[in-house]
Amino acid sequence: MIESPQSAVILVGGDITFVAKVEAKDLLRKPTIKWFKGKWMDLASKTGKHLQLKETFERLTKMHTFEMHIIKAKDTYAGNYRCEVTYKDKFDSCYFDLEVKEAEQGSQNFDIRSAFKRSSEGQEDAGELDFSGLLKHREPKADDTPEVDVWEILKGARPDQYEKIAFMYGITDLRGLLKRMKKIPREEKKSEAFTKKLEPAYQADKGGKIRLVVDLADPTVDLKWYKNGQEIRSSPKYIFEMKGTQRILVINNCSLNDDAAYSVAAGDERCSTELFVKELPVKIVKSIEAVKTTVNERIELECEVSEEGAQVKWMKNGVEVPTGVRSRYRVKCEGTKHFLVIDDASKEDTGSYSIMATGGTSEAHVQVDLKPLKVFLDLQDVTVLLGQPIKLHCEIYPGNVAGRWYRNGQLIQPNDRINILHRNKSHRLEIATSSLHDVGDYTFVPEGYTQSLSAKIHIIDPPRVHLESLNFPDNTVTIVAGNKLRLEIPISGEPAPRVVWMKGERVILESGHRVRAETSGDQTSLTIDVTEREDTGNYKIVLQNEAGEATASVKIKVVDIPDPPEAPLVPQVGGDWCSMTWEPPKYDGSSPILGYFIERKKKQSSRWMRLNFDLIKETAFEPKKMIEGVPYEVRIFAVNAIGVSKPSEPSKAFTPLAVTSEPTMLVVDDVTDTTVTVKWRPPETIGAAGLDGYLVEYCIEGTDDWIVSNTELTDKTKYTITGLTPGTKILIRVKAINAAGASSPRTIQHSVLVKEVIEPPKIRVPRHLKQTYTRRVGEAVNLVVPFMGKPRPKVTWLKEGTAIDPTHVSIRNTDCDSIIFIRKAERSHSGKYEMAVQVENHVDTAILDIQVVDLPGPPQCVTIEDVWGGNVALVWTPPKDNGNAPITGYTIQKADLKTMEWYTCIEHYHRTCITITELVVGNEYFFRIFAENMCGPSDTATQTKKSALIVKEGMQLKTHEFNDHDFMEAPKFTQPLINTCAVAGYNATLNCSVRSNPRAKVIWMKNKIAILDDPRYRMFSNQGVCTLEVRKPSPYDGGMYTCKAINNLGEAQVECKLEVKGGFTFYELMQRGVPLHLIDKSMTEKIVEQEK
């Protein structure tokens, strides 16, 4: 230990750290350190908030630093501490003291029982240095005793009663209590006999001297000293001294017996104190020395300590040496010297011996060797045949040395078969008849010497195979394939023969996976984990060793289950049955086939179902009760006396199917000179096979020669037979066809005459076209007018009595309707359209009234008729252009001359004159009016040429003429658009600001195309700030956006680029209804941008 902890003094509540440093240059691992309080309390179990232990290692200086931190010290922490460091057989320790002082304070608020009671582990006070932590744990009991002031009791008691009082009130730290009482000031009564009494407690070192002093008020009074209540007599140990009024008791050579309560009596008065004796550690003064000797010699280990009569402990290899009456070890002590004696040393006494004292340890090594020996004739290895005699001979010096013979480490005792001889220097071992038990290593060990003589005896015996123990006829073993075969055959021979198993020319190895040969001891075995029919055959066993060779043969026959049959065939399939056939298996497993099991399953299932529980002898079977339309598979198992074969491969999947029922309600739909059209309804029962189509056949009446009209099946329920001869009569029938075949035919009951029938034309005008059909300009017009008539009627269209221009209006006619289509309607398309349908001399007509409407024009003239008070009377004339629709109302707006911002006064007004009221006095107003029809308000409004000045009644304002400042200004953008990157699915906004007078019309464009009535965009304009909001954009919405402002003085525009990240795929854009040309354009723009 390079640096040891030092004694220290701290105040209550203070922190202190004790440091110990250990040099680690010669140490292979970290040493072990322990901190103790007193003699036996290990502080490692007391760590907590008040005590912490820390270890560090400095690699450069190779120094271990151990620290003990005491935090917020208490009175109970005072006392003697010890630090011990151990490493293997090395030991070092040091002692140090800690004194805890506290400020002077009264004891009225101090709870002595809580301060000196034991602390519970794991609670808040865990880690305090309290001796009671090692006492037996008891469950806390409820304290029903009344509260008492223990301090008052202790103050009035004698020192020899302190221990009794502490035990009574549960105080365990008596020493801390005494120290605490010593520091607490007390009001002492004025003593009449003593002017100075004894201190409450004294402390002395073991072997030291202590002086107990009192001052007497009356020097003539008789004085007596007591120890534990017994009077002390003068002796060399106890000396009484007098110095004036002082009376002194000197105690020499303090021992643990002097640790007691002392008192002095002067007349009737008495004072007492407590003496504590501190035991000093015993140190090693002279270490023990290493010893090297031979067997049968005497060994004496000597060690000297610092104190006579000290208790020490002798250890051997870390275990305490037994020193009883029957022990080989003797321990003796002469003053400070201690001895360990071994009278007759043996080799087992070799080891590490150490002595342990309270202040250190000492260790030394003792080596005990055997005595040397001279060998004239060494033992020789011997090899003999089994049953022959064995002789071993050796010669050693000195000749009178006895010895022992060992075989494989076991002592050999002479008997009728074994003879041991010793004559002078010759030693013999003779065995009359050798056996296999005699094989081994033989050793002759002379008694008391380090050498030994060794030799090996090797016994040989020719190999033999004992097949008679198998009990198999003709040495033939029969086994069922798939089972495990283990054939064990006894063998003999010494040394153990080399065994080789062979099948034909193939050698069976021990490392084989499925078939392997094993040899152990006196038997060899052949193991086949899973026998197969290929394992059938003769197996040869060959044994070889030094004494000769032997052979034998064993025949193994493997009986197996048959091979699986080939996949069965299914030649016929019905609605719920099928027929199947198969061939017997190629290999019957050396046993006749007893029959077959059949299984089937649905093709989509993995569960097979057995169809027969009794074996089927034949090779054909007809499964039934199958579900129509469900694919099935079948398989076969072959059975012999050994068992059931593996299943065959499944047959090709087949589906039980049935034909449909006959078609229903077959009727003639139309007849011409060369064709007949029939129609029918599907069969009532179609079945699982579905319906592939229909086959239409006809024959001339009076014959049975049916002619197929449609070479390919038709899936429609209407068919026209062509190429017929006019005037003939035919019969017609229809068959339903599916995968199972053709159904029964459905035939028309009566013959059909091939001759066309005339049907007059008839136009069926839809209900919504019987009144005026109204559309707006730019919308599409698509009208379908059905009609009837045979043969196919001729359709003509006229507009206002004239032919229709096909470049403006598209007309398409079919057999049963006529379609009139206008892509973009214009007002010129309005009018009455006449449709005529003609079949030969029969004609039917219908008239359609189409009206195309547009927004109206503004009113023709708006004048201010009168101004009075806060009222203005306006008069106007209806618009010249009503948009081809009646005028439904007007919208009147007003604007103050100062701001020229228009506000709506009234909407949907029907008359052509109005009085505007509640106008502000002093303001000058202009008015404008929009015309409305069913399409909406007019694009422009008609404004009054003059303004209306609202003046206060009774006052006339004379205005000076002056020239108005021209505020007119062409549009100019004060804040341009900024390139923006948006995330798909989140709204994006584009902002700019424009200045103009009069107010400019703002147009937003995407890729140079104006944005009109698109619900995905919202446009705002407030005080010159223009905003375009793109709702939940997608990559398709990316591109160049332009804001264009126009008024009468000019125009201006700004541009920016909007990029949308993420978004929809091509498929998602199609689902959202985005046109293909726009998707293609967006994708092309993306590719170009990526290439750039």
Side-chain angles (χ1 to χ4, degrees):
M1 191 180 300
I2 301 301
E3 181 180 336
S4 302
Q6 302 299 321
S7 300
V9 179
I10 61 171
L11 296 176
V12 174
D15 300 343
I16 190 169
T17 301
F18 295 98
V19 180
K21 293 187 177 181
V22 179
E23 189 175 10
K25 291 184 179 179
D26 300 328
L27 305 183
L28 299 178
R29 58 181 177 84
K30 183 184 72 174
T32 303
I33 188 168
K34 292 185 179 181
W35 299 85
F36 295 91
K37 182 181 180 184
K39 295 181 181 179
W40 41 265
M41 189 173 71
D42 189 354
L43 299 182
S45 62
K46 295 293 181 178
T47 55
K49 70 175 185 177
H50 293 292
L51 176 67
Q52 296 180 1
L53 304 180
K54 183 179 180 182
E55 300 178 3
T56 57
F57 177 69
E58 186 65 33
R59 295 186 179 275
L60 297 177
T61 59
K62 293 186 177 180
M63 189 74 67
H64 288 280
T65 302
F66 302 93
E67 299 178 357
M68 180 177 71
H69 301 279
I70 298 178
I71 303 169
K72 296 182 180 179
K74 299 183 179 181
D75 291 339
T76 56
Y77 295 180
N80 179 258
Y81 290 80
R82 186 171 82 255
C83 174
E84 290 185 0
V85 180
T86 57
Y87 176 78
K88 291 186 178 179
D89 56 343
K90 298 180 181 180
F91 175 84
D92 194 6
S93 65
C94 67
Y95 291 82
F96 57 95
D97 296 325
L98 174 63
E99 183 177 356
V100 181
K101 294 184 177 181
E102 63 179 5
E104 295 294 332
Q105 58 183 0
S107 62
Q108 61 273 12
N109 295 328
F110 181 70
D111 187 359
I112 181 173
R113 286 183 289 179
S114 63
F116 293 99
K117 279 189 177 180
R118 64 188 58 160
S119 57
S120 301
E121 294 183 5
Q123 297 180 358
E124 182 180 0
D125 295 332
E128 296 185 6
L129 310 182
D130 186 0
F131 288 95
S132 62
L134 298 179
L135 296 179
K136 183 177 180 181
H137 178 70
R138 296 182 178 90
E139 293 295 331
K141 298 181 179 179
D143 189 5
D144 298 332
T145 59
E147 294 292 332
V148 294
D149 192 347
V150 183
W151 280 120
E152 294 298 329
I153 297 175
L154 291 171
K155 288 178 182 180
R158 297 193 307 274
D160 58 350
Q161 297 177 343
Y162 288 167
E163 184 174 359
K164 180 180 179 181
I165 296 172
F167 177 77
M168 183 183 302
Y169 290 98
I171 299 173
T172 57
D173 190 3
L174 181 59
R175 181 167 297 183
L177 172 66
L178 295 175
K179 290 185 178 182
R180 183 67 174 260
M181 291 184 63
K182 182 179 178 181
K183 297 176 183 179
I184 294 179
R186 63 175 65 185
E187 295 181 2
E188 297 183 357
K189 294 182 181 180
K190 201 69 174 179
S191 175
E192 296 179 358
F194 298 99
T195 58
K196 180 181 178 183
K197 292 185 178 182
L198 293 173
E199 297 291 338
Y202 292 87
Q203 181 175 344
D205 293 335
K206 183 180 179 182
K209 182 172 67 174
I210 187 68
R211 294 165 62 89
L212 306 181
V213 182
V214 295
D215 279 350
L216 297 178
D218 183 6
T220 62
V221 71
D222 291 336
L223 194 71
K224 291 184 179 182
W225 292 88
Y226 296 91
K227 172 184 177 183
N228 290 335
Q230 300 294 327
E231 185 178 354
I232 301 174
R233 303 294 181 182
S234 179
S235 65
K237 184 174 184 65
Y238 300 102
I239 300 174
F240 302 111
E241 295 180 358
M242 294 185 296
K243 289 184 180 180
T245 59
Q246 289 186 347
R247 298 297 182 264
I248 304 170
L249 171 63
V250 180
I251 303 175
N252 294 317
N253 193 17
C254 292
S255 65
L256 295 179
N257 293 330
D258 298 324
D259 191 307
Y262 292 83
S263 60
V264 57
D268 295 334
E269 289 194 24
R270 183 188 292 262
C271 66
S272 59
T273 187
E274 186 84 10
L275 176 61
F276 297 97
V277 179
K278 179 181 177 183
E279 184 178 5
L280 296 176
V282 178
K283 296 185 179 179
I284 304 296
V285 177
K286 180 181 178 183
S287 302
I288 57 178
E289 297 179 354
V291 176
K292 186 174 183 181
T293 183
T294 60
V295 295
N296 302 327
E297 298 294 334
R298 185 176 185 274
I299 300 175
E300 184 177 288
L301 301 178
E302 178 183 353
C303 177
E304 186 176 352
V305 298
S306 61
E307 183 180 337
E308 291 186 8
Q311 295 294 326
V312 298
K313 185 184 292 185
W314 288 93
M315 310 286 287
K316 176 187 176 184
N317 297 329
V319 180
E320 185 176 359
V321 175
T323 57
V325 178
R326 298 183 181 181
S327 176
R328 299 177 60 253
Y329 302 95
R330 290 189 299 108
V331 176
K332 63 180 181 178
C333 177
E334 297 176 359
T336 60
K337 294 184 178 181
H338 295 262
F339 300 90
L340 177 65
V341 180
I342 306 174
D343 292 325
D344 186 10
S346 64
K347 192 171 180 62
E348 290 76 15
D349 295 326
T350 300
S352 178
Y353 290 80
S354 61
I355 183 172
M356 294 184 64
T358 58
T361 61
S362 177
E363 184 176 357
H365 185 73
V366 174
Q367 180 68 39
V368 181
D369 297 328
L370 297 176
K371 297 178 180 180
L373 180 72
K374 293 183 180 180
V375 179
F376 293 144
L377 178 62
D378 201 353
L379 293 178
Q380 303 295 327
D381 294 342
V382 178
T383 301
V384 296
L385 287 174
L386 183 65
Q388 298 298 318
I390 302 173
K391 294 182 180 180
L392 294 178
H393 176 224
C394 66
E395 295 181 359
I396 61 174
Y397 178 82
N400 60 349
V401 176
R404 297 181 180 180
W405 291 87
Y406 295 88
R407 178 178 62 236
N408 296 330
Q410 300 293 328
L411 180 64
I412 301 176
Q413 299 291 343
N415 54 32
D416 295 340
R417 195 172 63 89
I418 300 175
N419 189 20
I420 298 177
L421 302 175
H422 175 206
R423 290 181 182 178
N424 296 327
K425 60 180 180 181
S426 177
H427 296 265
R428 293 177 180 273
L429 174 66
E430 296 180 355
I431 302 175
T433 303
S434 62
S435 66
L436 294 179
H437 299 288
D438 297 327
V439 177
D441 294 333
Y442 285 75
T443 305
F444 176 71
V445 180
E447 294 183 359
Y449 289 88
T450 58
Q451 289 180 279
S452 64
L453 309 180
S454 299
K456 290 186 178 180
I457 293 180
H458 185 49
I459 298 175
I460 61 175
D461 185 29
R464 287 188 294 275
V465 182
H466 304 280
L467 291 178
E468 62 276 5
S469 62
L470 293 179
N471 294 326
F472 289 122
D474 300 330
N475 294 333
T476 301
V477 180
T478 303
I479 188 170
V480 177
N483 293 336
K484 181 177 181 179
L485 172 64
R486 182 175 177 83
L487 186 62
E488 297 181 350
I489 300 176
I491 60 174
S492 62
E494 186 64 31
R498 177 176 175 268
V499 181
V500 179
W501 284 81
M502 302 179 64
K503 181 184 180 185
E505 299 298 328
R506 181 173 62 88
V507 176
I508 300 175
L509 303 177
E510 293 185 0
S511 60
H513 179 65
R514 187 180 64 85
V515 181
R516 60 186 179 276
E518 299 175 351
T519 302
S520 60
D522 58 351
Q523 70 176 13
T524 181
S525 62
L526 174 67
T527 302
I528 305 177
D529 289 335
V530 181
T531 54
E532 300 176 355
R533 60 171 177 259
E534 291 81 6
D535 298 327
T536 301
N538 290 322
Y539 291 79
K540 184 178 180 182
I541 310 170
V542 179
L543 278 65
Q544 292 179 342
N545 69 357
E546 299 177 9
E549 178 178 333
T551 61
S553 295
V554 177
K555 183 178 180 181
I556 296 177
K557 181 179 179 182
V558 180
V559 182
D560 198 359
I561 60 176
D563 284 348
E566 295 183 357
L569 302 177
V570 183
Q572 293 182 347
V573 178
D576 63 345
W577 61 273
C578 72
S579 63
M580 54 183 292
T581 60
W582 62 91
E583 294 295 331
K586 296 181 180 179
Y587 174 69
D588 60 359
S590 302
S591 179
I593 299 297
L594 302 179
Y596 302 93
F597 286 121
I598 294 93
E599 289 184 350
R600 79 177 180 207
K601 75 173 183 69
K602 298 176 183 178
K603 184 178 181 182
Q604 303 299 329
S605 174
S606 59
R607 180 181 177 185
W608 290 89
M609 182 178 69
R610 180 159 293 185
L611 301 182
N612 65 308
F613 294 96
D614 296 330
L615 293 176
I616 296 176
K617 308 294 184 180
E618 298 80 10
T619 57
F621 188 68
E622 187 175 300
K624 295 182 179 179
K625 296 183 180 180
M626 291 184 284
I627 301 174
E628 182 182 356
V630 177
Y632 285 90
E633 294 177 346
V634 292
R635 65 181 183 183
I636 309 297
F637 293 85
V639 182
N640 65 2
I642 305 303
V644 182
S645 70
K646 294 181 180 179
S648 67
E649 290 294 325
S651 66
K652 292 183 179 180
F654 62 92
T655 304
L657 297 174
V659 298
T660 67
S661 62
E662 58 187 16
T664 60
M665 299 182 68
L666 177 63
V667 295
V668 177
D669 186 55
D670 189 18
V671 180
T672 65
D673 291 340
T674 58
T675 65
V676 174
T677 302
V678 293
K679 61 181 180 180
W680 61 92
R681 288 189 178 180
E684 294 181 354
T685 303
I686 294 180
L691 180 62
D692 296 338
Y694 298 94
L695 186 67
V696 181
E697 298 176 335
Y698 70 92
C699 71
I700 299 174
E701 186 180 20
T703 66
D704 292 333
D705 187 11
W706 290 94
I707 302 170
V708 178
S709 177
N710 55 326
T711 56
E712 294 183 359
L713 298 178
T714 176
D715 55 353
K716 297 181 180 180
T717 57
K718 185 176 182 180
Y719 186 76
T720 300
I721 303 174
T722 60
L724 298 176
T725 303
T728 59
K729 291 185 177 181
I730 61 174
L731 294 175
I732 303 172
R733 69 181 184 185
V734 179
K735 296 179 180 179
I737 309 297
N738 65 2
S743 67
S744 300
R746 169 68 69 177
T747 307
I748 293 180
Q749 296 180 357
H750 304 285
S751 60
V752 179
L753 176 64
V754 181
K755 183 177 180 181
E756 188 169 9
V757 179
I758 297 176
E759 180 181 347
K762 177 65 176 178
I763 300 176
R764 298 183 177 273
V765 180
R767 181 178 299 176
H768 69 282
L769 297 180
K770 292 181 179 180
Q771 54 189 358
T772 303
Y773 182 74
T774 305
R775 302 297 287 176
R776 295 186 180 183
V777 173
E779 293 182 346
V781 177
N782 188 11
L783 303 178
V784 179
V785 183
F787 56 82
M788 299 173 60
K790 290 184 180 181
R792 180 173 180 174
K794 179 180 179 183
V795 182
T796 57
W797 285 87
L798 299 174
K799 179 187 177 185
E800 305 293 345
T802 59
I804 297 175
D805 187 358
T807 59
H808 295 144
V809 180
S810 299
I811 295 176
R812 183 174 63 87
N813 299 322
T814 65
D815 293 343
C816 59
D817 57 28
S818 179
I819 300 173
I820 180 170
F821 177 73
I822 303 173
R823 185 175 298 277
K824 288 186 179 181
E826 298 178 359
R827 291 173 63 177
S828 59
H829 293 144
S830 300
K832 295 185 181 295
Y833 291 78
E834 183 180 355
M835 175 184 178
V837 179
Q838 182 178 2
V839 176
E840 294 184 356
N841 296 328
H842 304 279
V843 179
D844 190 15
T845 61
I847 296 176
L848 305 182
D849 187 4
I850 298 177
Q851 181 183 7
V852 181
V853 297
D854 196 2
L855 296 175
Q860 296 186 29
C861 179
V862 179
T863 59
I864 299 175
E865 191 174 58
D866 191 9
V867 178
W868 73 97
N871 307 312
V872 174
L874 301 178
V875 178
W876 65 90
T877 57
K880 185 177 181 180
D881 180 12
N882 62 358
N884 204 21
I887 298 299
T888 59
Y890 300 92
T891 299
I892 298 93
Q893 293 182 346
K894 67 181 178 180
D896 188 0
L897 180 63
K898 299 177 183 178
T899 61
M900 286 307 293
E901 291 187 3
W902 294 97
Y903 297 93
T904 301
C905 298
I906 190 170
E907 294 179 324
H908 312 305
Y909 188 73
H910 297 285
R911 300 174 63 184
T912 57
C913 62
I914 190 173
T915 299
I916 307 299
T917 62
E918 297 181 358
L919 299 176
V920 179
V921 175
N923 290 354
E924 190 172 356
Y925 292 93
F926 284 94
F927 299 90
R928 67 180 182 184
I929 299 176
F930 294 88
E932 298 179 8
N933 67 359
M934 60 181 297
C935 294
S938 59
D939 290 334
T940 60
T942 303
Q943 182 178 328
T944 59
K945 296 181 180 180
K946 296 180 181 181
S947 62
L949 178 60
I950 308 302
V951 297
K952 189 174 182 180
E953 294 182 359
M955 296 181 65
Q956 186 68 30
L957 176 64
K958 292 184 179 181
T959 59
H960 300 281
E961 294 183 0
F962 60 91
N963 294 327
D964 293 335
H965 177 71
D966 188 7
F967 289 97
M968 306 297 284
E969 181 182 5
K972 180 180 180 181
F973 283 93
T974 59
Q975 177 63 38
L977 292 173
I978 300 175
N979 292 339
T980 305
C981 180
V983 179
Y986 294 88
N987 292 357
T989 57
L990 304 177
N991 299 286
C992 63
S993 61
V994 63
R995 185 177 66 218
S996 65
N997 193 6
R999 187 175 181 180
K1001 180 180 180 181
V1002 178
I1003 301 174
W1004 287 90
M1005 294 182 289
K1006 175 190 173 186
N1007 298 330
K1008 305 300 182 183
I1009 299 175
I1011 300 174
L1012 299 173
D1013 297 332
D1014 194 331
R1016 292 182 296 111
Y1017 298 95
R1018 286 203 305 174
M1019 292 166 276
F1020 308 95
S1021 179
N1022 184 18
Q1023 300 295 331
V1025 178
C1026 304
T1027 302
L1028 174 67
E1029 180 181 3
V1030 185
R1031 297 181 176 178
K1032 296 183 179 180
S1034 64
Y1036 156 74
D1037 294 317
M1040 295 298 297
Y1041 283 81
T1042 304
C1043 180
K1044 189 173 184 181
I1046 305 173
N1047 68 1
N1048 296 333
L1049 302 179
E1051 64 180 39
Q1053 68 179 25
V1054 290
E1055 294 181 344
C1056 74
K1057 181 179 180 182
L1058 175 63
E1059 181 181 357
V1060 181
K1061 293 186 177 180
F1064 302 100
T1065 62
F1066 178 84
Y1067 177 71
E1068 292 171 338
L1069 292 173
M1070 288 288 293
Q1071 283 187 327
R1072 294 171 70 89
V1074 180
L1076 283 174
H1077 69 280
L1078 296 180
I1079 298 176
D1080 182 65
K1081 184 177 180 182
S1082 176
M1083 297 294 181
T1084 305
E1085 292 176 356
K1086 277 189 177 180
I1087 295 173
V1088 173
E1089 291 178 0
Q1090 291 178 358
E1091 291 177 352
K1092 289 182 179 179

